[in-house]
Amino acid sequence: MSDRLPPKPASRPEKTSLINYLRLFRRDILSAQPAKLYRAWMAEFRTPFFRSFLVNQPDLVKEVLNKRPMDFPKSSRIAEGLRPLLGDSVFLTNGEVWQRQRRIIDPAFAGGRIKDTFPAMLAAGEAVVERLGSLEGPFDVEPQTSHAAADVIFRTLFSIPITHETARAVFAEFQTHQKAQPILNIAAFVPLPKWLPRFHKRETKRTAKIIRGLIEQLTDARMAQIEAGTAPDDLATKIMTTPDPETGEAFNAAEMVDQVAIFFLAGHETSASALAWALWLLADNPDVQERVAAEGDALGAAPEFSDMSKLRFTRDVFRETLRLYPPVPMMVREAKCPETFREREVPKGSQIVLSPWHLGRHERFWDAPDAFDPDRFATENGKQGLRDCFIPFSSGPRVCTGAGFAMVEGPLILALIARAFHIRTVEGRRPVPVAHLTVRAAEGIWIELRPRAENAR
């Protein structure tokens, strides 16, 4: 293990002005947090327009996410900034609309469907190993993991590789959209009437329109294939042909564009973030890297889905990465009625912040919370932490539909890369975590690769 703790952003001063806090928060929500939140059960923050409560107490987290999720819908404040791209996707909706969407989407990710998508994941993993083999010298791995994760999404969703013209165009525009997209829109802080424009950046709106137009081309083409009886049996076909069991109605074309947009954002952006951090952690911990490489070798030349059981330690490496660098660092719910948390009044309309970032590094829950230790999950402390405060995919009815998908994709790609290359850190390029759409690094995540002798070409 490395003697140094993995990177963590510096906390803000305990006392600061509201203006300075909002400035920090808009720039990066991670460095805007005071150190005391890593040991607090709950904290309150007040603005002129609403009250916000960060909740770290496990039973309260379960109350919000698992026991009474309909009483704590997703906050419309956070949705404001994502609406241009995601429309009314399952990620942003609430109530009956959300329930209907999940009834249609969930069957596509149930049971044997992950097994069915494994060949596409493997093909994308082998493709990224080949691309990485052509790189020389130090490089920022984030664009490479973004490319790999997008490849997985397009192969499993539409049966096309990232090299397909439309897939390549969506990926390129999304890179631009991500850079133009602020974490929060002004409406996240100031209540605005629905008829008032949301002041999205011109580039945000432009790139979102292009991406949605390209997705519409893919969904229209797939609809034609379905009607002609020539559609491949992939996730898109499954979702587009699954009727709501209560109404018998399937998604229309416009609804499908919304859903594909969130599949791409959630399935691509979050996996890309986790993979990049996992590769850097392997580079910084050579002993861990060798154990992952050994499990990768055990997969053999033509891995099958059943071989994933051989990646037990690699799975823990990926899980530990998600604990330290959860792609979505904070989730926000809204109290539909007055509540009392820890003998404190929580008014109706309050924002309830549930933070995988703070829960994953909380000093009351984890032994050595800031250390990278994949073996912790074999301990009682680690097992208890998984039960009580490990929510990188959320929890309860709104748990990410692709959680199982991600826990196959991530370890598989890590094992394939580690068995092909020695991964090294780059001197003077220690990454600093920041939150954009997901947890990335301020100036990239830099590594260097050297082919393993037995795999040298």
Side-chain angles (χ1 to χ4, degrees), residues 321-347:
T321 303
L322 291 171
R323 182 186 72 82
L324 289 170
Y325 302 104
V328 179
M330 297 184 191
M331 302 173 289
V332 185
R333 301 293 188 262
E334 185 170 312
K336 287 183 64 175
C337 54
E339 303 285 345
T340 301
F341 286 175
R342 292 186 57 82
E343 300 181 350
R344 187 178 301 181
E345 292 185 2
V346 177

mmCIF file of all heavy atoms in Angstrom, residues 321-347:
data_model
loop_
_atom_site.group_PDB
_atom_site.id
_atom_site.type_symbol
_atom_site.label_atom_id
_atom_site.label_comp_id
_atom_site.label_asym_id
_atom_site.label_seq_id
_atom_site.Cartn_x
_atom_site.Cartn_y
_atom_site.Cartn_z
ATOM 1 N N THR A 321 -12.829 2.230 -4.457
ATOM 2 C CA THR A 321 -12.758 3.453 -5.264
ATOM 3 C C THR A 321 -14.064 4.228 -5.170
ATOM 4 O O THR A 321 -14.066 5.460 -5.017
ATOM 5 C CB THR A 321 -12.464 3.109 -6.737
ATOM 6 O OG1 THR A 321 -11.246 2.366 -6.832
ATOM 7 C CG2 THR A 321 -12.359 4.378 -7.578
ATOM 8 N N LEU A 322 -15.185 3.528 -5.253
ATOM 9 C CA LEU A 322 -16.491 4.181 -5.153
ATOM 10 C C LEU A 322 -16.712 4.786 -3.765
ATOM 11 O O LEU A 322 -17.407 5.794 -3.626
ATOM 12 C CB LEU A 322 -17.602 3.179 -5.467
ATOM 13 C CG LEU A 322 -17.689 2.696 -6.913
ATOM 14 C CD1 LEU A 322 -18.675 1.543 -7.027
ATOM 15 C CD2 LEU A 322 -18.103 3.831 -7.843
ATOM 16 N N ARG A 323 -16.142 4.170 -2.747
ATOM 17 C CA ARG A 323 -16.252 4.739 -1.395
ATOM 18 C C ARG A 323 -15.485 6.057 -1.307
ATOM 19 O O ARG A 323 -16.011 7.050 -0.772
ATOM 20 C CB ARG A 323 -15.695 3.753 -0.362
ATOM 21 C CG ARG A 323 -15.806 4.244 1.090
ATOM 22 C CD ARG A 323 -15.118 3.305 2.057
ATOM 23 N NE ARG A 323 -13.663 3.356 1.965
ATOM 24 C CZ ARG A 323 -12.893 4.264 2.561
ATOM 25 N NH1 ARG A 323 -13.435 5.230 3.289
ATOM 26 N NH2 ARG A 323 -11.582 4.227 2.429
ATOM 27 N N LEU A 324 -14.264 6.085 -1.829
ATOM 28 C CA LEU A 324 -13.423 7.278 -1.737
ATOM 29 C C LEU A 324 -13.801 8.352 -2.756
ATOM 30 O O LEU A 324 -13.713 9.548 -2.467
ATOM 31 C CB LEU A 324 -11.954 6.889 -1.930
ATOM 32 C CG LEU A 324 -11.301 6.113 -0.794
ATOM 33 C CD1 LEU A 324 -9.945 5.584 -1.230
ATOM 34 C CD2 LEU A 324 -11.164 6.980 0.452
ATOM 35 N N TYR A 325 -14.200 7.926 -3.949
ATOM 36 C CA TYR A 325 -14.505 8.876 -5.021
ATOM 37 C C TYR A 325 -15.841 8.533 -5.674
ATOM 38 O O TYR A 325 -15.900 8.143 -6.841
ATOM 39 C CB TYR A 325 -13.382 8.860 -6.072
ATOM 40 C CG TYR A 325 -12.031 9.196 -5.497
ATOM 41 C CD1 TYR A 325 -11.082 8.206 -5.261
ATOM 42 C CD2 TYR A 325 -11.704 10.512 -5.168
ATOM 43 C CE1 TYR A 325 -9.845 8.511 -4.718
ATOM 44 C CE2 TYR A 325 -10.463 10.828 -4.621
ATOM 45 C CZ TYR A 325 -9.545 9.823 -4.393
ATOM 46 O OH TYR A 325 -8.324 10.121 -3.851
ATOM 47 N N PRO A 326 -16.944 8.630 -4.918
ATOM 48 C CA PRO A 326 -18.250 8.328 -5.507
ATOM 49 C C PRO A 326 -18.522 9.276 -6.670
ATOM 50 O O PRO A 326 -18.395 10.495 -6.519
ATOM 51 C CB PRO A 326 -19.224 8.572 -4.348
ATOM 52 C CG PRO A 326 -18.514 9.543 -3.448
ATOM 53 C CD PRO A 326 -17.058 9.184 -3.553
ATOM 54 N N PRO A 327 -18.866 8.760 -7.846
ATOM 55 C CA PRO A 327 -19.053 9.640 -9.006
ATOM 56 C C PRO A 327 -20.053 10.769 -8.764
ATOM 57 O O PRO A 327 -19.835 11.905 -9.175
ATOM 58 C CB PRO A 327 -19.545 8.678 -10.089
ATOM 59 C CG PRO A 327 -18.913 7.378 -9.718
ATOM 60 C CD PRO A 327 -18.971 7.339 -8.209
ATOM 61 N N VAL A 328 -21.164 10.459 -8.096
ATOM 62 C CA VAL A 328 -22.143 11.488 -7.725
ATOM 63 C C VAL A 328 -21.948 11.759 -6.236
ATOM 64 O O VAL A 328 -22.376 10.966 -5.394
ATOM 65 C CB VAL A 328 -23.583 11.019 -8.008
ATOM 66 C CG1 VAL A 328 -24.581 12.108 -7.596
ATOM 67 C CG2 VAL A 328 -23.754 10.673 -9.483
ATOM 68 N N PRO A 329 -21.300 12.875 -5.884
ATOM 69 C CA PRO A 329 -20.905 13.076 -4.489
ATOM 70 C C PRO A 329 -22.047 13.414 -3.554
ATOM 71 O O PRO A 329 -21.962 13.146 -2.352
ATOM 72 C CB PRO A 329 -19.905 14.227 -4.563
ATOM 73 C CG PRO A 329 -20.312 14.990 -5.788
ATOM 74 C CD PRO A 329 -20.805 13.955 -6.755
ATOM 75 N N MET A 330 -23.117 14.021 -4.098
ATOM 76 C CA MET A 330 -24.240 14.408 -3.236
ATOM 77 C C MET A 330 -25.562 14.246 -3.978
ATOM 78 O O MET A 330 -25.635 14.488 -5.184
ATOM 79 C CB MET A 330 -24.091 15.863 -2.761
ATOM 80 C CG MET A 330 -22.864 16.092 -1.906
ATOM 81 S SD MET A 330 -22.760 17.773 -1.274
ATOM 82 C CE MET A 330 -21.063 17.749 -0.638
ATOM 83 N N MET A 331 -26.579 13.839 -3.225
ATOM 84 C CA MET A 331 -27.928 13.708 -3.759
ATOM 85 C C MET A 331 -28.850 14.596 -2.931
ATOM 86 O O MET A 331 -28.662 14.693 -1.714
ATOM 87 C CB MET A 331 -28.385 12.250 -3.681
ATOM 88 C CG MET A 331 -27.484 11.282 -4.421
ATOM 89 S SD MET A 331 -27.933 9.546 -4.156
ATOM 90 C CE MET A 331 -27.428 9.320 -2.455
ATOM 91 N N VAL A 332 -29.795 15.229 -3.565
ATOM 92 C CA VAL A 332 -30.656 16.182 -2.859
ATOM 93 C C VAL A 332 -32.113 15.775 -2.979
ATOM 94 O O VAL A 332 -32.625 15.559 -4.079
ATOM 95 C CB VAL A 332 -30.461 17.615 -3.397
ATOM 96 C CG1 VAL A 332 -31.268 18.605 -2.550
ATOM 97 C CG2 VAL A 332 -28.984 18.003 -3.392
ATOM 98 N N ARG A 333 -32.767 15.667 -1.850
ATOM 99 C CA ARG A 333 -34.197 15.403 -1.785
ATOM 100 C C ARG A 333 -34.888 16.613 -1.148
ATOM 101 O O ARG A 333 -34.242 17.480 -0.570
ATOM 102 C CB ARG A 333 -34.483 14.145 -0.958
ATOM 103 C CG ARG A 333 -33.815 12.884 -1.495
ATOM 104 C CD ARG A 333 -34.406 12.475 -2.823
ATOM 105 N NE ARG A 333 -33.920 11.172 -3.253
ATOM 106 C CZ ARG A 333 -32.940 10.980 -4.111
ATOM 107 N NH1 ARG A 333 -32.305 12.029 -4.609
ATOM 108 N NH2 ARG A 333 -32.583 9.766 -4.484
ATOM 109 N N GLU A 334 -36.198 16.653 -1.242
ATOM 110 C CA GLU A 334 -36.966 17.773 -0.695
ATOM 111 C C GLU A 334 -38.032 17.244 0.254
ATOM 112 O O GLU A 334 -38.743 16.288 -0.075
ATOM 113 C CB GLU A 334 -37.603 18.577 -1.818
ATOM 114 C CG GLU A 334 -38.326 19.823 -1.348
ATOM 115 C CD GLU A 334 -38.745 20.720 -2.505
ATOM 116 O OE1 GLU A 334 -37.910 20.996 -3.385
ATOM 117 O OE2 GLU A 334 -39.915 21.119 -2.531
ATOM 118 N N ALA A 335 -38.151 17.830 1.419
ATOM 119 C CA ALA A 335 -39.155 17.413 2.393
ATOM 120 C C ALA A 335 -40.539 17.899 1.954
ATOM 121 O O ALA A 335 -40.769 19.103 1.828
ATOM 122 C CB ALA A 335 -38.809 17.966 3.771
ATOM 123 N N LYS A 336 -41.454 16.967 1.715
ATOM 124 C CA LYS A 336 -42.796 17.335 1.281
ATOM 125 C C LYS A 336 -43.655 17.852 2.427
ATOM 126 O O LYS A 336 -44.678 18.506 2.202
ATOM 127 C CB LYS A 336 -43.487 16.132 0.630
ATOM 128 C CG LYS A 336 -42.958 15.782 -0.748
ATOM 129 C CD LYS A 336 -43.733 14.618 -1.363
ATOM 130 C CE LYS A 336 -45.185 14.990 -1.611
ATOM 131 N NZ LYS A 336 -45.908 13.892 -2.320
ATOM 132 N N CYS A 337 -43.270 17.534 3.656
ATOM 133 C CA CYS A 337 -44.016 17.989 4.817
ATOM 134 C C CYS A 337 -43.032 18.248 5.950
ATOM 135 O O CYS A 337 -41.873 17.832 5.878
ATOM 136 C CB CYS A 337 -45.059 16.953 5.225
ATOM 137 S SG CYS A 337 -44.383 15.309 5.491
ATOM 138 N N PRO A 338 -43.455 18.953 6.994
ATOM 139 C CA PRO A 338 -42.540 19.218 8.113
ATOM 140 C C PRO A 338 -42.048 17.914 8.751
ATOM 141 O O PRO A 338 -42.804 16.955 8.883
ATOM 142 C CB PRO A 338 -43.402 20.026 9.085
ATOM 143 C CG PRO A 338 -44.487 20.611 8.243
ATOM 144 C CD PRO A 338 -44.775 19.589 7.190
ATOM 145 N N GLU A 339 -40.784 17.884 9.129
ATOM 146 C CA GLU A 339 -40.178 16.712 9.739
ATOM 147 C C GLU A 339 -39.418 17.133 10.996
ATOM 148 O O GLU A 339 -39.169 18.320 11.215
ATOM 149 C CB GLU A 339 -39.198 16.031 8.772
ATOM 150 C CG GLU A 339 -39.794 15.618 7.449
ATOM 151 C CD GLU A 339 -40.679 14.388 7.564
ATOM 152 O OE1 GLU A 339 -40.603 13.698 8.609
ATOM 153 O OE2 GLU A 339 -41.448 14.107 6.619
ATOM 154 N N THR A 340 -39.048 16.156 11.788
ATOM 155 C CA THR A 340 -38.167 16.384 12.931
ATOM 156 C C THR A 340 -37.016 15.393 12.839
ATOM 157 O O THR A 340 -37.233 14.179 12.928
ATOM 158 C CB THR A 340 -38.899 16.208 14.269
ATOM 159 O OG1 THR A 340 -39.993 17.134 14.340
ATOM 160 C CG2 THR A 340 -37.944 16.474 15.432
ATOM 161 N N PHE A 341 -35.813 15.889 12.614
ATOM 162 C CA PHE A 341 -34.616 15.071 12.537
ATOM 163 C C PHE A 341 -33.709 15.440 13.705
ATOM 164 O O PHE A 341 -33.345 16.608 13.877
ATOM 165 C CB PHE A 341 -33.869 15.302 11.225
ATOM 166 C CG PHE A 341 -34.506 14.689 10.009
ATOM 167 C CD1 PHE A 341 -33.969 14.926 8.746
ATOM 168 C CD2 PHE A 341 -35.615 13.873 10.112
ATOM 169 C CE1 PHE A 341 -34.533 14.370 7.623
ATOM 170 C CE2 PHE A 341 -36.196 13.306 8.989
ATOM 171 C CZ PHE A 341 -35.658 13.553 7.733
ATOM 172 N N ARG A 342 -33.344 14.464 14.499
ATOM 173 C CA ARG A 342 -32.448 14.692 15.639
ATOM 174 C C ARG A 342 -32.938 15.865 16.499
ATOM 175 O O ARG A 342 -32.183 16.773 16.852
ATOM 176 C CB ARG A 342 -31.008 14.940 15.162
ATOM 177 C CG ARG A 342 -30.368 13.705 14.532
ATOM 178 C CD ARG A 342 -28.901 13.941 14.202
ATOM 179 N NE ARG A 342 -28.126 14.329 15.375
ATOM 180 C CZ ARG A 342 -27.636 13.473 16.275
ATOM 181 N NH1 ARG A 342 -27.870 12.165 16.134
ATOM 182 N NH2 ARG A 342 -26.924 13.903 17.303
ATOM 183 N N GLU A 343 -34.224 15.851 16.798
ATOM 184 C CA GLU A 343 -34.872 16.868 17.630
ATOM 185 C C GLU A 343 -34.741 18.273 17.039
ATOM 186 O O GLU A 343 -34.806 19.264 17.765
ATOM 187 C CB GLU A 343 -34.292 16.835 19.054
ATOM 188 C CG GLU A 343 -34.476 15.487 19.756
ATOM 189 C CD GLU A 343 -33.920 15.494 21.168
ATOM 190 O OE1 GLU A 343 -33.230 16.464 21.533
ATOM 191 O OE2 GLU A 343 -34.190 14.526 21.908
ATOM 192 N N ARG A 344 -34.587 18.338 15.748
ATOM 193 C CA ARG A 344 -34.484 19.626 15.068
ATOM 194 C C ARG A 344 -35.592 19.712 14.033
ATOM 195 O O ARG A 344 -35.847 18.753 13.293
ATOM 196 C CB ARG A 344 -33.118 19.753 14.391
ATOM 197 C CG ARG A 344 -32.862 21.132 13.802
ATOM 198 C CD ARG A 344 -31.480 21.227 13.184
ATOM 199 N NE ARG A 344 -30.424 20.944 14.151
ATOM 200 C CZ ARG A 344 -29.124 20.984 13.854
ATOM 201 N NH1 ARG A 344 -28.734 21.276 12.640
ATOM 202 N NH2 ARG A 344 -28.226 20.708 14.785
ATOM 203 N N GLU A 345 -36.274 20.855 13.978
ATOM 204 C CA GLU A 345 -37.355 21.036 13.026
ATOM 205 C C GLU A 345 -36.805 21.168 11.607
ATOM 206 O O GLU A 345 -35.888 21.936 11.345
ATOM 207 C CB GLU A 345 -38.168 22.288 13.377
ATOM 208 C CG GLU A 345 -38.961 22.151 14.665
ATOM 209 C CD GLU A 345 -39.841 23.360 14.922
ATOM 210 O OE1 GLU A 345 -39.851 24.284 14.060
ATOM 211 O OE2 GLU A 345 -40.522 23.406 15.956
ATOM 212 N N VAL A 346 -37.395 20.394 10.706
ATOM 213 C CA VAL A 346 -37.054 20.439 9.285
ATOM 214 C C VAL A 346 -38.305 20.917 8.550
ATOM 215 O O VAL A 346 -39.249 20.142 8.345
ATOM 216 C CB VAL A 346 -36.612 19.063 8.776
ATOM 217 C CG1 VAL A 346 -36.323 19.108 7.281
ATOM 218 C CG2 VAL A 346 -35.383 18.574 9.545
ATOM 219 N N PRO A 347 -38.372 22.189 8.174
ATOM 220 C CA PRO A 347 -39.593 22.722 7.561
ATOM 221 C C PRO A 347 -39.909 22.088 6.207
ATOM 222 O O PRO A 347 -39.013 21.569 5.523
ATOM 223 C CB PRO A 347 -39.274 24.213 7.397
ATOM 224 C CG PRO A 347 -38.123 24.475 8.310
ATOM 225 C CD PRO A 347 -37.347 23.213 8.361
#
